[in-house]
Amino acid sequence: MIASSTLPTAGPRRREPVILLAVGLVALVVSAIGAKSIGTWFLEVLAALIGAVVLVATYRRFPLTPLAYRLILAHAVILMIGGHWTYAEVPAGDWLRDALGLARNPYDRLGHFAQGFVPAVVAREILLRCTPLRPGRWLAALVLCVVMAVSATWELFEWLSAVVGGSSAEDFLGTQGDVWDTQWDMFMAGVGAITSLVLLSRLHDKQLREWLTPTARR
């Protein structure tokens, strides 16, 4: 288990999360300006807002690696873009739909891919630092389970929003007439998690060794 209190306290290593937070706040304000629906925007960025509060509250006691913070910001920006236009009407998604001859705007798929890609690193870091688990198959399997649980919880939140908001929640759901949208969302989150584990595990381990060990202070 890697102790959470061993992160170096000086230099750019401590400044970067503050800079990333400032960038995220600016992006949040910009995304709210001229949003199609302020209610839909709020629901779409709610996860980013909650995440920011948690990260600020735990920053001194449990700082994360730079990789985790950077990915969280990227995910937050994806949410903000979706909130500004709604996922079904993001212009880049419309362009991709027309260019590839797709039946729907694919930006929603990107959002749920990120919903697996980014939480996989965060879950991996928490499990490595707070449990006796070590890198390997069991860790990867448990990270995937956590990601799928997060995805399922989000789908339940969308369902509750639809129950409460009725047809007014349609922009938030972004199903675009696909009866299998929920299943596709969870599938894309799973694909995102697996992709993240395959591509980023070594880099993540390297950062954990360099940033979260006493030797990193020397």
Side-chain angles (χ1 to χ4, degrees):
M1 186 189 307
I2 301 174
S4 63
S5 59
T6 55
L7 185 69
T9 58
R13 297 183 175 188
R14 296 294 273 179
R15 291 196 297 270
E16 182 178 341
V18 177
I19 294 172
L20 294 177
L21 178 62
V23 172
L25 290 175
V26 171
L28 181 70
V29 172
V30 171
S31 72
I33 299 173
K36 178 181 177 181
S37 165
I38 198 64
T40 299
W41 171 85
F42 177 75
L43 289 174
E44 296 291 6
V45 305
L46 181 60
L49 293 173
I50 294 173
V53 171
V54 172
L55 291 175
V56 170
T58 60
Y59 175 59
R60 293 187 179 277
R61 180 169 52 88
F62 198 89
L64 301 176
T65 55
L67 176 63
Y69 281 129
R70 293 165 189 170
L71 288 174
I72 290 169
L73 175 60
H75 191 191
V77 170
I78 290 172
L79 295 175
M80 294 171 196
I81 292 172
H84 180 83
W85 277 289
T86 75
Y87 278 86
E89 298 181 20
V90 172
D94 284 342
W95 175 85
L96 191 60
R97 177 198 61 203
D98 296 339
L100 300 180
L102 303 176
R104 54 174 283 161
N105 186 313
Y107 190 81
D108 181 59
R109 305 294 190 222
L110 171 64
H112 284 278
F113 179 88
Q115 189 185 65
F117 193 89
V118 176
V121 171
V122 178
R124 189 176 189 275
E125 183 157 330
I126 293 173
L127 288 172
L128 280 173
R129 292 171 61 183
C130 298
T131 75
L133 286 167
R134 292 292 180 265
R137 294 179 180 178
W138 274 111
L139 176 64
L142 289 174
V143 167
L144 181 59
C145 288
V146 170
V147 168
M148 297 310 296
V150 170
S151 179
T153 300
W154 182 256
E155 295 302 324
L156 288 173
F157 174 65
E158 288 188 342
W159 164 76
L160 181 61
S161 299
V163 171
V164 174
S167 59
S168 62
E170 185 174 344
D171 284 340
F172 173 56
L173 296 176
T175 60
Q176 301 182 63
D178 185 357
V179 296
W180 302 109
D181 185 69
T182 297
Q183 289 77 11
W184 269 108
D185 289 350
M186 296 182 67
F187 172 75
M188 292 304 298
V191 171
I194 293 171
T195 304
S196 181
L197 289 169
V198 171
L199 296 181
L200 299 180
S201 289
R202 288 187 179 181
L203 174 61
H204 192 215
D205 288 338
K206 182 175 182 290
Q207 287 201 358
L208 285 169
R209 289 193 301 268
E210 292 178 351
W211 290 63
L212 300 171
T213 62
T215 57
R217 296 181 179 181
R218 298 173 187 173

